[in-house]
């Protein structure tokens, strides 16, 4: 089962579609307000007690911010990578940070790899990319394979250690939420272990699972419907990218004058 197929198999509710996809120019402001409402995330899910000191230092100095996203297929939308959440993250950060500051987000897809398999490739990858921040999206493949949760926790622990040894800040991102697979895959052990490792290492955890579940429960996105819809995938990725940008900036704690 592919993560990206879950996104591409989702259909937008009629209420959302009516407000977002057919708005004439005269209703641009209304459409923008609806978009913001759809992407609404409680502040509690966008705040972290853990900090990103290297990112904070780079923002303070106005230096280029290089971010590496390590993820599975759910980090992409096939041929529409400009609409995938890493690209939307980059766009949102460029909007929120000083205009003279360069922000570059690169993506390393690790399709069908468990956390342990990803960790084995980290030293060479980090040496080549030298990112200031690594956003590690993990847990999906391990949950699908029913990897022992303790082994998964050990792999995430080793991955964070490797990233920090390379001089990078780390943000963990957990699994995406899908009501269609919730009864087929046991995700709580992997969510719990990621939360525990994040607390142990004082690393921010972006709770994508909880954010997407709230959007589904609120009716913002119909994540259960299995009919194909690339436009819904784009909307979800855009919302994830913007939420993630707020999360990163919040964890870096920049001064007001260091934001646009």
């Amino acid at each position: 089962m592919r993560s990206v197929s879950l996104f591409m198999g989702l259909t937008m509710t009629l209420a959302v579609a009516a407000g977002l996809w057919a708005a004439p120019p005269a209703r641009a402001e209304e459409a923008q307000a609806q978009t913001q409402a759809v992407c609404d995330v409680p502040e509690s899910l966008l705040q972290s007690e853990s900090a990103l000191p290297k990112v904070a230092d780079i923002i303070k100095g106005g230096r280029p911010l290089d971010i590496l996203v390590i993820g599975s297929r759910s980090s992409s939308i096939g041929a529409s990578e400009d609409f995938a959440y890493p690209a939307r993250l980059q766009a949102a950060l460029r909007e929120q940070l000083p205009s003279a500051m360069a922000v570059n987000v690169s993506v390393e897809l690790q399709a069908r790899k468990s956390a342990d398999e990803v960790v084995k490739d980290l030293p060479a990858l980090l040496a080549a990319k030298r990112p200031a921040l690594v956003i590690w999206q993990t847990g999906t493949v391990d949950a699908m394979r029913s990897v022992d949760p303790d082994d998964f926790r050990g792999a995430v622990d080793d991955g964070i250690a490797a990233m920090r040894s390379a001089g990078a800040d780390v943000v963990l991102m957990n699994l995406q939420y899908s009501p269609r697979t919730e009864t087929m895959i046991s995700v709580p052990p992997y969510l719990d272990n990621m939360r525990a490792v994040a607390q142990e290492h004082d690393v921010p955890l972006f709770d994508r699972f909880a954010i997407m579940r709230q959007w589904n429960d609120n009716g913002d996105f119909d994540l259960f419907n299995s009919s194909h819809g690339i436009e819904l995938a784009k909307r979800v990725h855009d919302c994830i990218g913007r939420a993630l940008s707020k999360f990163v900036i919040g964890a870096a704690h920049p001064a007001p004058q260091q934001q646009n």
Side-chain angles (χ1 to χ4, degrees), residues 15 35 52 94 96 103 110 115 118 144 151 162 186 232 238 250 253:
T35 297
L52 299 173
R94 287 178 176 176
Q96 297 176 67
V103 179
Q110 300 285 333
V118 170
M144 291 172 62
D151 292 341
S186 178
L232 177 58
D238 182 58
H253 305 298

Side-chain angles (χ1 to χ4, degrees), residues 2-217:
R2 287 186 169 180
S3 297
V4 75
S5 66
L6 299 178
F7 271 127
M8 301 205 35
L10 305 175
T11 295
M12 185 175 296
T13 58
L14 291 177
V16 173
L20 294 177
W21 299 111
R27 297 180 56 198
E29 292 183 1
E30 180 182 347
Q32 182 177 5
Q34 289 176 328
T35 297
Q36 293 173 345
V38 166
C39 290
D40 186 45
V41 179
E43 286 300 317
S44 60
L45 291 176
L46 295 179
Q47 296 175 347
S48 173
E49 295 181 359
S50 301
L52 299 173
K54 184 160 188 175
V55 174
D57 184 63
I58 287 175
I59 293 175
K60 182 178 180 180
R63 302 192 305 277
L65 176 58
D66 295 318
I67 300 174
L68 173 63
V69 174
I70 300 177
S72 62
R73 287 291 185 186
S74 62
S75 298
S76 70
I77 317 182
S80 303
E81 297 306 337
D82 288 345
F83 298 97
Y85 80 77
R88 305 317 302 151
L89 167 66
Q90 177 176 276
L93 287 175
R94 287 178 176 176
E95 289 177 359
Q96 297 176 67
L97 294 173
S99 57
M101 182 178 169
V103 179
N104 303 296
V105 178
S106 61
V107 184
E108 185 69 23
L109 290 180
Q110 300 285 333
R112 301 187 183 90
K113 287 188 177 181
S114 66
D116 182 64
E117 291 167 339
V118 170
V119 170
K120 293 175 182 177
D121 296 332
L122 280 179
L125 177 60
L126 295 171
K129 296 286 188 177
R130 302 181 65 183
L133 170 63
V134 178
I135 299 174
W136 188 15
Q137 173 202 308
T138 189
T140 301
V141 173
D142 294 82
M144 291 172 62
R145 292 186 187 175
S146 298
V147 170
D148 185 286
D150 289 336
D151 292 341
F152 170 70
R153 177 170 178 165
V156 176
D157 186 271
D158 291 343
I160 292 174
M163 294 170 190
R164 282 189 161 167
S165 293
D169 283 344
V170 182
V171 167
L172 290 180
M173 179 190 292
N174 59 18
L175 299 72
Q176 66 178 349
Y177 173 74
S178 171
R180 294 183 65 83
T181 60
E182 195 173 25
T183 59
M184 298 160 42
I185 301 174
S186 178
V187 300
Y190 305 93
L191 297 173
D192 292 343
N193 274 290
M194 287 190 71
R195 189 174 297 109
V197 174
Q199 292 175 348
E200 178 183 346
H201 288 273
D202 198 18
V203 164
L205 172 66
F206 182 74
D207 197 346
R208 179 174 60 155
F209 186 90
I211 290 172
M212 290 182 63
R213 180 167 57 186
Q214 172 158 307
W215 287 336
N216 182 76
D217 292 347

